[in-house]
Amino acid sequence: MVRLITHNLLACHAKGCTTNNFPLAFRDAQVEIQEQDINPEFVRNMLPRLEWKALVDAARQVGDESLPAEQPEMMDDELVQKLHRVLMEVRNLTLSSLLASPNGHDYPSTSLRTRDTPRTNTTSLSTPCIHVLSMHLSPLPHPRTFLQIHITEGAMICPNCEHVYPISNGIPNMLLAENEIG
Amino acid sequence: MVKIAVPTSIQGRPQEYEEAHVHNVYDRIADHFSSTRYKPWPIVAQFLSDIPTGWIGLDSGTGNGKYLPIPTERPGSIFTIGLDRSHNLLELAKCAGGSPTRDVLRGDVLGDYWRLGAFDYALSIATVHHLASPKRRKQAIERLIQSVSSTHGRILIYVWATKQDELSRTSFPKKACWSNEDETRISPAGQDVFVPWVTQTSTDGSVTVEPETSKSMYMVLNRYYHMFSEGELSRMAEEAAKELDLKIGSPDEFSERGVKGLHISEEGWERSNYYLLLTRWEK
Ligand SMILES: [Zn+2]
């Protein structure tokens, strides 16, 4: 699976692609939310590592508008909660095309799905790690933090060279063909 | 269970050699491999336990992702992203430690997919030894160095050693013996070997592995390793640092402002493996 925290670190380095190669844009992203216990200390300490604007834009691309456009100077509890949701959980959406709403404000109709996952870390490997519950909710039930949002399908597009990195079954494929390696 | 290593030499292009003797093998043996690889190496567990809360890291060559949930005593305190080439291993890595799922990406350990210095730490456990040329092994180390912060990034590299644990399950054919008593025969450049995995395809199509059998109904999959000789890994890390214009040594040894460096904070051997702990610094 891939969360927005991971997306925030990714940059395209295909052959000749050295500038304007971050952040990758989501296309046809399908998203799921997995509940996760909040660790406020993690969120506070981790935040300086992220690019705020890229995070806000990516969150909007996957249907979460909870974050302010400018990074607040003070990290209050409410912001920590929001960030946790955006980074660690996500309520789902299927965005038919993000290109249709480049600024992330016009949301296409969404179908929502919630993943009901045990909150413990003790699930053994032999059991399926996720139990998917389907449920239909109105778009954007409530904001989710970026640690809870998992992008499961779709693609990430380099804003510069337009290389397409597909995401399938929660796993982005970053492999480049030999002639694309810079 | 005895692991056997047979000396080999690289034929053809290293990339294709790795495709045949590393990537394809792991994709085929993923399930069984995973069931034998669940215990974290103590050095690796310690490295991750020492990482401060809020740090973000890369596990390059994550395999079944067994290090992604660590430290389990502080769940959610650090965030490790798994990178691997094997799709089947990534499917397992995704679920490592149960829910919530782990973040994993399909990619090459020589690939560059990140903002420069994006991570606070990086680990490469039992991975660099699968690259089939010295140049590629050095490049893998360069990638690790580039992936972490220039001011505080920490790196742990763990590779298979020519110096084998007496209690280890690995045995070597007489002809190419390089046991502990026989270290003079170890080349300073290490040793390329195959470690055969014998597999049996059952009726449901799944592959099971029975390392000690050699009946004709079993198929042998040769996995390529480069066994590192003593000091080889640290020499390679120093070369990688030079390529990246980094000073080698502790930050106390340099006073000039703006200097960037790499410190080999620890070098050691644990149960048939050499490991290296590197720290980046900037004045
Ligand atoms: Zn690009």
Side-chain angles (χ1 to χ4, degrees), chain B residues 182-232:
Chain B
D182 200 15
E183 286 201 54
T184 50
R185 293 171 71 173
I186 299 169
S187 152
Q191 175 70 48
D192 290 327
V193 296
F194 269 153
V195 176
W197 276 57
V198 184
T199 71
Q200 178 193 22
T201 308
S202 57
T203 46
D204 63 1
S206 66
V207 173
T208 56
V209 183
E210 304 288 343
E212 250 184 316
T213 53
S214 58
K215 294 176 186 146
S216 58
M217 60 190 286
Y218 295 98
M219 188 178 55
V220 176
L221 296 173
N222 280 323
R223 225 171 0 145
Y224 165 78
Y225 282 82
H226 174 78
M227 301 176 86
F228 279 72
S229 63
E230 190 162 13
E232 186 184 355

Side-chain angles (χ1 to χ4, degrees), chain A residues 1-6 8-13 22 34-36 39 41-42 45-46 49-51 88 115 117-125 129-130 147 150 156 168-176 178, chain B residues 13 15-16 34 52-56 64 72 74-79 81 83 85 87 90-92 94-108 110 112-116 118-120 143 152:
Chain A
M1 296 297 160
V2 58
R3 294 169 170 88
L4 295 186
I5 188 173
T6 299
N8 201 273
L9 307 173
L10 288 168
C12 176
H13 293 285
F22 166 87
Q34 294 178 35
E35 298 295 331
Q36 180 168 343
N39 183 329
E41 195 190 351
F42 170 77
N45 292 355
M46 169 273 307
R49 289 150 176 83
L50 300 186
E51 295 284 339
M88 288 313 225
R115 285 193 160 191
T117 58
R119 297 181 70 92
T120 62
N121 282 326
T122 55
T123 313
S124 85
L125 262 182
C129 67
I130 294 161
L147 291 172
H150 297 252
M156 294 179 291
S168 173
N169 206 13
I171 303 176
N173 188 346
M174 305 303 291
L175 285 172
L176 296 168
E178 213 166 311
Chain B
R13 299 176 66 229
Q15 292 93 317
E16 281 147 26
S34 186
T53 294
W55 282 26
I56 300 173
N64 66 356
T72 45
R74 283 191 292 143
S77 60
I78 64 175
F79 187 76
I81 297 169
L83 176 76
R85 245 196 120 100
H87 183 268
L90 287 175
E91 286 291 338
L92 298 166
K94 208 166 70 172
C95 299
S99 69
T101 54
R102 308 290 156 189
D103 281 31
V104 297
L105 296 117
R106 184 151 188 244
D108 196 280
L110 297 184
D112 184 3
Y113 313 119
W114 315 102
R115 291 198 266 122
L116 195 66
F119 295 100
D120 300 293
R143 280 285 179 259
H152 64 269

Side-chain angles (χ1 to χ4, degrees), chain A residues 59-151:
Chain A
R60 289 182 175 176
Q61 286 176 11
V62 298
D64 190 300
E65 274 196 292
S66 63
L67 298 176
E70 296 294 323
Q71 183 167 3
E73 278 181 25
M74 206 186 65
M75 276 278 272
D76 58 15
D77 288 349
E78 190 193 345
L79 183 62
V80 169
Q81 291 277 350
K82 283 179 184 168
L83 283 167
H84 171 76
R85 284 204 305 264
V86 172
L87 285 172
M88 288 313 225
E89 292 189 348
V90 166
R91 173 110 10 206
N92 136 75
L93 335 167
T94 304
L95 299 188
S96 53
S97 169
L98 294 157
L99 299 175
S101 54
N103 58 12
H105 289 295
D106 307 311
Y107 294 106
S109 62
T110 57
S111 67
L112 300 176
R113 214 164 45 150
T114 296
R115 285 193 160 191
D116 181 22
T117 58
R119 297 181 70 92
T120 62
N121 282 326
T122 55
T123 313
S124 85
L125 262 182
S126 58
T127 61
C129 67
I130 294 161
H131 175 226
V132 177
L133 277 185
S134 285
M135 52 191 268
H136 288 276
L137 301 169
S138 56
L140 306 179
H142 45 272
R144 288 287 167 164
T145 75
F146 59 145
L147 291 172
Q148 296 172 313
I149 301 176
H150 297 252
I151 291 82

